[in-house]
Amino acid sequence: MSEVDLLIVGAGPAGMAAAVTARQNGLDVLVIDDQPAPGGQIWRSVETVAATKRGALLGEAYAAGQASAAAFRASGAVYEPGSQLWQIEPGFRAFVTRDRQARVIKARAVILATGAQERPAPFPGWTLPGVLTVGAAQILLKNAGEIPEKPVWIAGSGPLPLLYMTQLLKAGGRVAGYLDTTPKGRLMAALPHLPGALGAMGDLLKGLGWKAALKRAGVPVVKHVAEIEAVGTDKVEQLRYRTANGREAIVSAEVVLVHEGVVPSIHPPLALGCKVEWSDVQACYVPVLDSWGESSQDYVFVAGDGAGIAGAKAAELRGHIAALRAAVKLGRLGEGAADERAAPLRSSLGRELALRPFLDTLFAPRPQVFAPPDETIVCRCEEVSAQEIRDLVKLGRPGPNQVKAFTRAGMGPCQGRQCGYTITHILAQAENRPPGEVGFYRVRPPLKPVTLGELASLDQQEPVA
């Protein structure tokens, strides 16, 4: 069993920033990361890609991660890539597998910088080969420069589809069309938040620039798409869609990429018993945190998009702030010094967060994301349909954990990451109560699949009494 002052889970923008600040304040830091190199999802493979042609097409925001990764490497924090956290207990004991060997890490404090995931958005046919998320396609582009050979259809809402399409076009790919699922009237609803967002004018102009690039490239755009369906036998062959005004069409499609926003990764905080609360604005659960990022559990911090979606710059700032407080609680930094150092970080964070109300209102998920048709598979691991979930409501007023017991939904390898929110929303609608009241799955170990061999390797490390 290894012991450290501070265990950081995740080496994205928040985790790297936290490690740098923690080391500057004399903490013994271990960073575990399930990726092979630092950068997280937003700066994936940045150390090897930023200076290449591929890095140039990914843009300046991506290249900015190279300096952060270099600072992290130079910080003196111990970094263990390829490490999968599959359980974490109060105290704190983290169970981690690396190179098929499991071990226990004991830490005095923990910073969870596990980021976010794309929001599950099930629809008929979404399990067919050829249907992926935009995030998955972007990973292929960042890691290996891979782009689809055939023109792709993209369906969804938010900044990521716009960014990916511009990157894809620069890389020589083709976009068959963009089905924009942003409902009509969202811009008017978001306008009251625009004055507060003007401090981030650069980001707003960047989004407008992406739209202009798509227009120049002649990408067909269908607005206000309400429903989509992937059709095919062994793979996707067609894409059927319907707009809010009733227009329907069927188009040929070999690759369909979907995206309906991102949500915080809440499984690790839930495993530690940290309180979470429902965010109506972002339509998901977020950890309950104080101004330093400390959770309801002492010495457990959450930083980055895992604390609420806000982007890479905000993630870095949250990482620095959380590490300052960890240094205070572990006796390496005084309260006054921490407050002084945190002040400019908080000001910068406030400017970054000022954009969120505008974006969250503009790109709030369409209602159909939360109400898939009966025949739609909502739990891919156990092949449970929306109809099966709705049928259970007729037997009483079940919650997500009762649904899990009756149907095995949420018991597969993803441990509910791909079906949890869908189950919550289906139950909320059927039972006529808010999603926050319905709740989420109770998280059980392991957080990620673990083999018997890995479990057995733990015994080999324990001293004989």
Side-chain angles (χ1 to χ4, degrees), residues 156 223 246 293 404 406-407 414 424 432-433:
K223 294 186 176 181
K404 181 193 288 188
F406 291 145
T407 68
C414 86
T424 292
N432 195 29
R433 52 180 178 150

Side-chain angles (χ1 to χ4, degrees), residues 214-227:
L214 298 180
K215 187 173 182 179
R216 288 194 301 270
V219 174
V221 178
V222 182
K223 294 186 176 181
H224 313 315
V225 173
E227 298 175 6

Side-chain angles (χ1 to χ4, degrees), residues 153-282:
W153 279 93
I154 295 180
S157 178
L160 184 59
L162 301 176
L163 170 60
Y164 175 73
M165 283 187 282
T166 59
Q167 293 172 338
L168 178 63
L169 292 171
K170 288 180 182 178
R174 292 169 291 169
V175 180
Y178 176 42
L179 305 182
D180 186 350
T181 62
T182 307
K184 188 176 182 178
R186 284 290 169 77
L187 180 57
M188 292 300 296
L191 283 180
H193 302 292
L194 184 58
L198 292 180
M201 180 60 74
D203 290 327
L204 294 174
L205 293 176
K206 191 183 302 181
L208 293 174
W210 295 335
K211 286 193 171 186
L214 298 180
K215 187 173 182 179
R216 288 194 301 270
V219 174
V221 178
V222 182
K223 294 186 176 181
H224 313 315
V225 173
E227 298 175 6
I228 58 175
E229 177 183 1
V231 181
T233 305
D234 298 319
K235 61 179 181 179
V236 62
E237 299 167 359
Q238 295 178 319
L239 181 62
R240 179 183 294 129
Y241 66 86
R242 186 183 67 81
T243 64
N245 63 7
R247 173 190 169 193
E248 295 187 30
I250 299 177
V251 295
S252 297
E254 294 189 35
V255 179
V256 176
L257 306 179
V258 296
H259 178 82
E260 292 288 355
V262 292
V263 295
S265 174
I266 60 171
H267 277 60
L270 289 177
L272 278 167
C274 301
K275 292 181 180 178
V276 297
E277 62 184 1
W278 183 260
S279 169
D280 286 323
V281 175
Q282 297 190 344

Side-chain angles (χ1 to χ4, degrees), residues 117-133 228-232 235-236 238-239 256-260 366 369 372-386 414 416-423 426:
Q117 67 170 74
E118 286 183 272
R119 183 191 307 277
F123 59 91
W126 74 308
T127 59
L128 284 171
V131 180
L132 300 88
T133 66
I228 58 175
E229 177 183 1
V231 181
K235 61 179 181 179
V236 62
Q238 295 178 319
L239 181 62
V256 176
L257 306 179
V258 296
H259 178 82
E260 292 288 355
R366 59 194 162 93
V369 169
D374 285 343
E375 70 275 14
T376 307
I377 295 293
V378 296
C379 174
R380 301 180 67 151
C381 300
E382 300 295 333
E383 297 187 345
V384 180
S385 71
C414 86
R417 290 171 179 81
Q418 293 301 313
C419 67
Y421 279 117
T422 305
I423 300 296
I426 289 176

